[in-house]
Amino acid sequence: MGERPARDRIRDFFEVDCGLSAEEAVAEAERCMQCKKPSCVRGCPVEIDIPAFIARIAERDFRGAARIIKEANLLPAVCGRVCPQEVQCEGACILGGKEMPVRIGELERFVADREREQGLVIPPVAEPTGKRVAVVGSGPAGLTAAAELARDGHMVTVFESLHEPGGVLMYGIPSFRLPKDVVQAEIDQLRGMGVKILTNHLAGASIPVAELHAYDAVFIGTGAGLPFFMNIPGEQLNGVYSANEFLTRVNLMHADRFPEYDTPVRHAGRVVVVGGGNVAMDAARVARRLGARVTLVYRRREEDLPARRAEVIRAREEGVEFELCANPVRIIGTHFVTGVECVRMEMCSLDDSGRPEPSPLKGSNFTIDADMVIQAIGQGPNPLLIRKIEGITYGRKGNIVVDEEGRSSLEKVFAAGDVATGAATVILAMGGAKKAARAIDRMLREDQRDR
Amino acid sequence: MYRVIEAGQLADRIFQIWVEAPHVARHALAGQFLVIRIDEHGERIPLTVSAVSGDLVRIIFMAVGKTTHQLSALKAGDFIRDVAGPLGKPSEIGMRGTCVVVGGGAGIASCPIIARAARDAGNRVIGIIGARNAGYLILEDEMREACDDLLVATDDGSRGFHGFAADVLKEVIAGRKVDCVWIIGPAIMMKVTSEVTRPKGIRTFVSLNPIMVDGTGMCGSCRVQVGGETKFACVDGPEFDAHQVDFDLLMQRQRTYFDEEKVSLERYHEHACRCGEGGHHG
């Protein structure tokens, strides 16, 4: 079924990728070599038995395929859409050397969508253990930990400060990449497993830290919600947004449908987005859909863009202009933004990540007209809760320090996802949360035996 | 869903609502705020926690925009879709000696809870409340009870002292030693009034009310300049050292959605007219 043409999709927020038809899925599944030692599985942070579910698709047993995926991952419709498969399962696929790797992501999504259309099967949960676990945050990490722990028979309560659960899946990723009903359905499945989700509850405030400690275990998955600003002159002007604010206004609050929805967002003719990651691409593509001419300013080269390749291509197709090797030095305007002064960047010696260190080229300043600027230069862990948890060790960047199984410096307190690793991907957060959930389950069971 | 237990009008365009929200009421302290979303289509707006009683929280607001007009139409038994909180840092009360709590207009809503907390901490508390005229004055009795002394001012002299709260504050600090001042009201009132205490270097707090979305430090919409540094009012505040705040910037940023707010309100009034009963349609 493929992708919708760019000229259609920039008019709305419906999904860009239409997914596979059953015939296409079966044909794609038949390409799988069914390797004895599958490298794709090793490339999957949540260790889905990929060849097994693909084999079921080839046999047209789509429900069976769904069951296999959900043993390892309860958010397959999300992961099938937003995982960077090209550097994970598909990147490891043996076929990738000679031809195209099997489109594992599309297959995962197909199976998940198919199951949702026909009614999600709530996964079975173990006998109740009587243990209570508090999960803080309902983004990818929190939802994964909650699902795994509920499956193990523990009583899970999730605390979410916003009015909708889902974290970045709801406020951050636009619906043209991840439709919100898809997220809702996977969350409803968790509720069906007995997970209690309390929205409007800010842990550390609505639920004091002492009350959290009264649970048998605490899992913290509060993400990286604190937006960074560049700290350049003019940043306080009206019309300068963090990507978090811009995306939250549109994705969560539906500002694209103002005044039908009460939350406004500035309707700009020309938008400058600063940054080169997935969040920057999302912001740029949302701004295009709101009707603006959009220029994305990134300080390094095309090949250094940290965003997924496919998203860069889609952004270009949708008419996002790229101003590469450039960096803003000042935002211009009185009260409202009127432009961004940038400087050309020269690529110098490689840094630790293998990317060139950019440095400004003297006298190369130029101005881009803009009535809106969106800064998508990264975000760090929100310190709100962490600072209130006495005795927890956190790193220089505010991240909770954990071992490889998510244990923090405090007994019974675990953390995973961006709050532990710094800003990363949905699937890495889920992988970390799954490991932490296993460690929590083990701890709770040992606890039970000791009595 | 959070149930409205009591709703009513306090003064010209100023309303109060008592809403059942145990998770906020049980933990809220003076100076903190909450965020409400009235219904599925609503925006998230911050409002000060004006009082708590058991599982109930009181909010007080002036009907100026679409959301506050819609709120003002709520009756006991209605519901507010979302109430999140308590948010922000509590007031830095402490034992300071003599405190003055100054409220202007709808900002008076935040004053009794601070005055009470300050008095409970052992301070002598003087209250000053001011409004355009007697018809806009709220919570006079409550403030009288919460403070050791209460002074009232109206711009037109229709009640109490004829003049601004700032003028009254000037006299108070001229007459006695004052150790700490809170000023809460519209940005322009806080800007003008806090100049009164600057020459004497009296510790002065203001509670800032920029535009917010999440209220938990996630979006940066509420960023303000304090002492030349960028702060997020939602998590670093809402109270800041008055003498360090860039009020002009605060007022500039408050006007970001001026046009949109007008559109939204006009649309609401149009709709309210068609429905024929003050916009309230459950």
Side-chain angles (χ1 to χ4, degrees), chain A residues 55-76:
Chain A
R56 291 290 200 291
I57 298 176
E59 295 159 11
R60 301 190 73 94
D61 175 10
F62 304 136
R63 285 219 170 252
R67 206 165 44 239
I68 292 170
I69 295 175
K70 281 162 72 175
E71 278 166 20
N73 176 11
L74 279 165
L75 306 172

PDB file of all heavy atoms in Angstrom, chain A residues 55-76:
ATOM      1  N   ALA A  55       7.240 -16.476  10.291  1.00  0.00           N
ATOM      2  CA  ALA A  55       6.789 -17.770   9.761  1.00  0.00           C
ATOM      3  C   ALA A  55       5.265 -17.884   9.858  1.00  0.00           C
ATOM      4  O   ALA A  55       4.602 -18.387   8.950  1.00  0.00           O
ATOM      5  CB  ALA A  55       7.463 -18.911  10.531  1.00  0.00           C
ATOM      6  N   ARG A  56       4.690 -17.406  10.973  1.00  0.00           N
ATOM      7  CA  ARG A  56       3.235 -17.443  11.133  1.00  0.00           C
ATOM      8  C   ARG A  56       2.541 -16.587  10.057  1.00  0.00           C
ATOM      9  O   ARG A  56       1.501 -16.961   9.537  1.00  0.00           O
ATOM     10  CB  ARG A  56       2.815 -16.932  12.507  1.00  0.00           C
ATOM     11  CG  ARG A  56       3.207 -17.847  13.634  1.00  0.00           C
ATOM     12  CD  ARG A  56       2.375 -19.142  13.601  1.00  0.00           C
ATOM     13  NE  ARG A  56       2.377 -19.815  14.882  1.00  0.00           N
ATOM     14  CZ  ARG A  56       3.435 -20.415  15.415  1.00  0.00           C
ATOM     15  NH1 ARG A  56       4.586 -20.451  14.766  1.00  0.00           N
ATOM     16  NH2 ARG A  56       3.342 -20.996  16.601  1.00  0.00           N
ATOM     17  N   ILE A  57       3.139 -15.435   9.762  1.00  0.00           N
ATOM     18  CA  ILE A  57       2.535 -14.580   8.725  1.00  0.00           C
ATOM     19  C   ILE A  57       2.531 -15.322   7.392  1.00  0.00           C
ATOM     20  O   ILE A  57       1.526 -15.328   6.674  1.00  0.00           O
ATOM     21  CB  ILE A  57       3.295 -13.243   8.581  1.00  0.00           C
ATOM     22  CG1 ILE A  57       3.241 -12.434   9.876  1.00  0.00           C
ATOM     23  CG2 ILE A  57       2.698 -12.404   7.431  1.00  0.00           C
ATOM     24  CD1 ILE A  57       4.050 -11.142   9.851  1.00  0.00           C
ATOM     25  N   ALA A  58       3.653 -15.959   7.082  1.00  0.00           N
ATOM     26  CA  ALA A  58       3.751 -16.692   5.818  1.00  0.00           C
ATOM     27  C   ALA A  58       2.671 -17.774   5.746  1.00  0.00           C
ATOM     28  O   ALA A  58       2.159 -18.089   4.672  1.00  0.00           O
ATOM     29  CB  ALA A  58       5.147 -17.294   5.671  1.00  0.00           C
ATOM     30  N   GLU A  59       2.311 -18.318   6.931  1.00  0.00           N
ATOM     31  CA  GLU A  59       1.242 -19.331   6.968  1.00  0.00           C
ATOM     32  C   GLU A  59      -0.143 -18.692   7.067  1.00  0.00           C
ATOM     33  O   GLU A  59      -1.138 -19.389   7.280  1.00  0.00           O
ATOM     34  CB  GLU A  59       1.432 -20.244   8.202  1.00  0.00           C
ATOM     35  CG  GLU A  59       2.692 -21.083   8.168  1.00  0.00           C
ATOM     36  CD  GLU A  59       3.096 -21.555   9.577  1.00  0.00           C
ATOM     37  OE1 GLU A  59       2.280 -21.401  10.523  1.00  0.00           O
ATOM     38  OE2 GLU A  59       4.227 -22.045   9.724  1.00  0.00           O
ATOM     39  N   ARG A  60      -0.187 -17.362   7.009  1.00  0.00           N
ATOM     40  CA  ARG A  60      -1.416 -16.578   7.166  1.00  0.00           C
ATOM     41  C   ARG A  60      -2.051 -16.755   8.536  1.00  0.00           C
ATOM     42  O   ARG A  60      -3.244 -16.531   8.721  1.00  0.00           O
ATOM     43  CB  ARG A  60      -2.439 -16.910   6.066  1.00  0.00           C
ATOM     44  CG  ARG A  60      -1.934 -16.664   4.665  1.00  0.00           C
ATOM     45  CD  ARG A  60      -3.046 -16.772   3.645  1.00  0.00           C
ATOM     46  NE  ARG A  60      -3.938 -15.629   3.693  1.00  0.00           N
ATOM     47  CZ  ARG A  60      -3.816 -14.549   2.921  1.00  0.00           C
ATOM     48  NH1 ARG A  60      -2.837 -14.478   2.038  1.00  0.00           N
ATOM     49  NH2 ARG A  60      -4.662 -13.559   3.017  1.00  0.00           N
ATOM     50  N   ASP A  61      -1.258 -17.171   9.519  1.00  0.00           N
ATOM     51  CA  ASP A  61      -1.757 -17.264  10.893  1.00  0.00           C
ATOM     52  C   ASP A  61      -1.405 -15.947  11.591  1.00  0.00           C
ATOM     53  O   ASP A  61      -0.448 -15.865  12.357  1.00  0.00           O
ATOM     54  CB  ASP A  61      -1.104 -18.468  11.606  1.00  0.00           C
ATOM     55  CG  ASP A  61      -1.499 -18.532  13.074  1.00  0.00           C
ATOM     56  OD1 ASP A  61      -2.412 -17.775  13.496  1.00  0.00           O
ATOM     57  OD2 ASP A  61      -0.875 -19.330  13.812  1.00  0.00           O
ATOM     58  N   PHE A  62      -2.201 -14.907  11.295  1.00  0.00           N
ATOM     59  CA  PHE A  62      -1.855 -13.572  11.798  1.00  0.00           C
ATOM     60  C   PHE A  62      -2.045 -13.457  13.306  1.00  0.00           C
ATOM     61  O   PHE A  62      -1.307 -12.775  13.982  1.00  0.00           O
ATOM     62  CB  PHE A  62      -2.681 -12.507  11.060  1.00  0.00           C
ATOM     63  CG  PHE A  62      -2.506 -12.571   9.561  1.00  0.00           C
ATOM     64  CD1 PHE A  62      -3.600 -12.463   8.713  1.00  0.00           C
ATOM     65  CD2 PHE A  62      -1.240 -12.753   8.994  1.00  0.00           C
ATOM     66  CE1 PHE A  62      -3.445 -12.524   7.332  1.00  0.00           C
ATOM     67  CE2 PHE A  62      -1.074 -12.819   7.612  1.00  0.00           C
ATOM     68  CZ  PHE A  62      -2.180 -12.708   6.777  1.00  0.00           C
ATOM     69  N   ARG A  63      -3.033 -14.147  13.836  1.00  0.00           N
ATOM     70  CA  ARG A  63      -3.255 -14.121  15.289  1.00  0.00           C
ATOM     71  C   ARG A  63      -2.089 -14.785  16.018  1.00  0.00           C
ATOM     72  O   ARG A  63      -1.640 -14.305  17.056  1.00  0.00           O
ATOM     73  CB  ARG A  63      -4.558 -14.829  15.653  1.00  0.00           C
ATOM     74  CG  ARG A  63      -5.771 -14.014  15.327  1.00  0.00           C
ATOM     75  CD  ARG A  63      -6.842 -14.176  16.432  1.00  0.00           C
ATOM     76  NE  ARG A  63      -7.899 -13.206  16.200  1.00  0.00           N
ATOM     77  CZ  ARG A  63      -8.102 -12.136  16.952  1.00  0.00           C
ATOM     78  NH1 ARG A  63      -7.343 -11.911  18.006  1.00  0.00           N
ATOM     79  NH2 ARG A  63      -9.065 -11.288  16.684  1.00  0.00           N
ATOM     80  N   GLY A  64      -1.638 -15.880  15.442  1.00  0.00           N
ATOM     81  CA  GLY A  64      -0.490 -16.581  16.026  1.00  0.00           C
ATOM     82  C   GLY A  64       0.730 -15.678  16.036  1.00  0.00           C
ATOM     83  O   GLY A  64       1.486 -15.637  17.011  1.00  0.00           O
ATOM     84  N   ALA A  65       0.898 -14.946  14.950  1.00  0.00           N
ATOM     85  CA  ALA A  65       2.030 -14.024  14.860  1.00  0.00           C
ATOM     86  C   ALA A  65       1.933 -12.961  15.952  1.00  0.00           C
ATOM     87  O   ALA A  65       2.915 -12.629  16.617  1.00  0.00           O
ATOM     88  CB  ALA A  65       2.051 -13.362  13.479  1.00  0.00           C
ATOM     89  N   ALA A  66       0.711 -12.443  16.154  1.00  0.00           N
ATOM     90  CA  ALA A  66       0.507 -11.419  17.183  1.00  0.00           C
ATOM     91  C   ALA A  66       0.853 -11.956  18.566  1.00  0.00           C
ATOM     92  O   ALA A  66       1.486 -11.281  19.375  1.00  0.00           O
ATOM     93  CB  ALA A  66      -0.938 -10.926  17.153  1.00  0.00           C
ATOM     94  N   ARG A  67       0.443 -13.221  18.803  1.00  0.00           N
ATOM     95  CA  ARG A  67       0.710 -13.820  20.114  1.00  0.00           C
ATOM     96  C   ARG A  67       2.208 -13.886  20.372  1.00  0.00           C
ATOM     97  O   ARG A  67       2.678 -13.562  21.454  1.00  0.00           O
ATOM     98  CB  ARG A  67       0.071 -15.220  20.165  1.00  0.00           C
ATOM     99  CG  ARG A  67      -0.281 -15.688  21.570  1.00  0.00           C
ATOM    100  CD  ARG A  67      -1.221 -16.868  21.540  1.00  0.00           C
ATOM    101  NE  ARG A  67      -0.836 -17.864  20.544  1.00  0.00           N
ATOM    102  CZ  ARG A  67      -1.611 -18.256  19.529  1.00  0.00           C
ATOM    103  NH1 ARG A  67      -2.818 -17.746  19.389  1.00  0.00           N
ATOM    104  NH2 ARG A  67      -1.194 -19.162  18.663  1.00  0.00           N
ATOM    105  N   ILE A  68       2.948 -14.295  19.357  1.00  0.00           N
ATOM    106  CA  ILE A  68       4.413 -14.418  19.525  1.00  0.00           C
ATOM    107  C   ILE A  68       5.041 -13.057  19.812  1.00  0.00           C
ATOM    108  O   ILE A  68       5.847 -12.916  20.729  1.00  0.00           O
ATOM    109  CB  ILE A  68       5.042 -15.060  18.266  1.00  0.00           C
ATOM    110  CG1 ILE A  68       4.606 -16.526  18.164  1.00  0.00           C
ATOM    111  CG2 ILE A  68       6.567 -14.944  18.310  1.00  0.00           C
ATOM    112  CD1 ILE A  68       4.967 -17.179  16.851  1.00  0.00           C
ATOM    113  N   ILE A  69       4.640 -12.039  19.066  1.00  0.00           N
ATOM    114  CA  ILE A  69       5.216 -10.703  19.299  1.00  0.00           C
ATOM    115  C   ILE A  69       4.890 -10.227  20.707  1.00  0.00           C
ATOM    116  O   ILE A  69       5.749  -9.734  21.433  1.00  0.00           O
ATOM    117  CB  ILE A  69       4.678  -9.681  18.271  1.00  0.00           C
ATOM    118  CG1 ILE A  69       5.146 -10.048  16.862  1.00  0.00           C
ATOM    119  CG2 ILE A  69       5.134  -8.267  18.628  1.00  0.00           C
ATOM    120  CD1 ILE A  69       4.563  -9.160  15.770  1.00  0.00           C
ATOM    121  N   LYS A  70       3.625 -10.418  21.103  1.00  0.00           N
ATOM    122  CA  LYS A  70       3.196  -9.856  22.384  1.00  0.00           C
ATOM    123  C   LYS A  70       3.806 -10.566  23.588  1.00  0.00           C
ATOM    124  O   LYS A  70       3.795 -10.027  24.690  1.00  0.00           O
ATOM    125  CB  LYS A  70       1.673  -9.828  22.464  1.00  0.00           C
ATOM    126  CG  LYS A  70       1.113  -8.638  21.674  1.00  0.00           C
ATOM    127  CD  LYS A  70      -0.340  -8.764  21.332  1.00  0.00           C
ATOM    128  CE  LYS A  70      -1.235  -8.592  22.533  1.00  0.00           C
ATOM    129  NZ  LYS A  70      -2.667  -8.591  22.136  1.00  0.00           N
ATOM    130  N   GLU A  71       4.355 -11.762  23.375  1.00  0.00           N
ATOM    131  CA  GLU A  71       5.092 -12.393  24.474  1.00  0.00           C
ATOM    132  C   GLU A  71       6.292 -11.532  24.854  1.00  0.00           C
ATOM    133  O   GLU A  71       6.721 -11.502  25.993  1.00  0.00           O
ATOM    134  CB  GLU A  71       5.575 -13.797  24.060  1.00  0.00           C
ATOM    135  CG  GLU A  71       4.493 -14.844  24.219  1.00  0.00           C
ATOM    136  CD  GLU A  71       4.851 -16.145  23.509  1.00  0.00           C
ATOM    137  OE1 GLU A  71       6.058 -16.357  23.243  1.00  0.00           O
ATOM    138  OE2 GLU A  71       3.927 -16.919  23.212  1.00  0.00           O
ATOM    139  N   ALA A  72       6.847 -10.828  23.867  1.00  0.00           N
ATOM    140  CA  ALA A  72       8.049 -10.027  24.126  1.00  0.00           C
ATOM    141  C   ALA A  72       7.749  -8.536  24.184  1.00  0.00           C
ATOM    142  O   ALA A  72       8.503  -7.780  24.796  1.00  0.00           O
ATOM    143  CB  ALA A  72       9.091 -10.295  23.034  1.00  0.00           C
ATOM    144  N   ASN A  73       6.676  -8.097  23.557  1.00  0.00           N
ATOM    145  CA  ASN A  73       6.467  -6.662  23.376  1.00  0.00           C
ATOM    146  C   ASN A  73       4.976  -6.361  23.306  1.00  0.00           C
ATOM    147  O   ASN A  73       4.291  -6.805  22.391  1.00  0.00           O
ATOM    148  CB  ASN A  73       7.147  -6.231  22.066  1.00  0.00           C
ATOM    149  CG  ASN A  73       6.889  -4.772  21.739  1.00  0.00           C
ATOM    150  OD1 ASN A  73       6.388  -4.021  22.569  1.00  0.00           O
ATOM    151  ND2 ASN A  73       7.225  -4.387  20.524  1.00  0.00           N
ATOM    152  N   LEU A  74       4.498  -5.580  24.292  1.00  0.00           N
ATOM    153  CA  LEU A  74       3.063  -5.298  24.315  1.00  0.00           C
ATOM    154  C   LEU A  74       2.690  -4.024  23.575  1.00  0.00           C
ATOM    155  O   LEU A  74       1.534  -3.615  23.592  1.00  0.00           O
ATOM    156  CB  LEU A  74       2.566  -5.269  25.752  1.00  0.00           C
ATOM    157  CG  LEU A  74       2.313  -6.687  26.276  1.00  0.00           C
ATOM    158  CD1 LEU A  74       2.188  -6.704  27.782  1.00  0.00           C
ATOM    159  CD2 LEU A  74       1.069  -7.296  25.633  1.00  0.00           C
ATOM    160  N   LEU A  75       3.657  -3.398  22.919  1.00  0.00           N
ATOM    161  CA  LEU A  75       3.341  -2.195  22.140  1.00  0.00           C
ATOM    162  C   LEU A  75       3.772  -2.363  20.676  1.00  0.00           C
ATOM    163  O   LEU A  75       4.464  -1.513  20.121  1.00  0.00           O
ATOM    164  CB  LEU A  75       4.043  -0.971  22.743  1.00  0.00           C
ATOM    165  CG  LEU A  75       3.827  -0.664  24.230  1.00  0.00           C
ATOM    166  CD1 LEU A  75       4.748   0.454  24.686  1.00  0.00           C
ATOM    167  CD2 LEU A  75       2.382  -0.276  24.497  1.00  0.00           C
ATOM    168  N   PRO A  76       3.362  -3.452  20.029  1.00  0.00           N
ATOM    169  CA  PRO A  76       3.887  -3.709  18.685  1.00  0.00           C
ATOM    170  C   PRO A  76       3.426  -2.711  17.622  1.00  0.00           C
ATOM    171  O   PRO A  76       4.189  -2.389  16.709  1.00  0.00           O
ATOM    172  CB  PRO A  76       3.370  -5.114  18.362  1.00  0.00           C
ATOM    173  CG  PRO A  76       2.172  -5.289  19.222  1.00  0.00           C
ATOM    174  CD  PRO A  76       2.450  -4.516  20.482  1.00  0.00           C
TER     175      PRO A  76
END
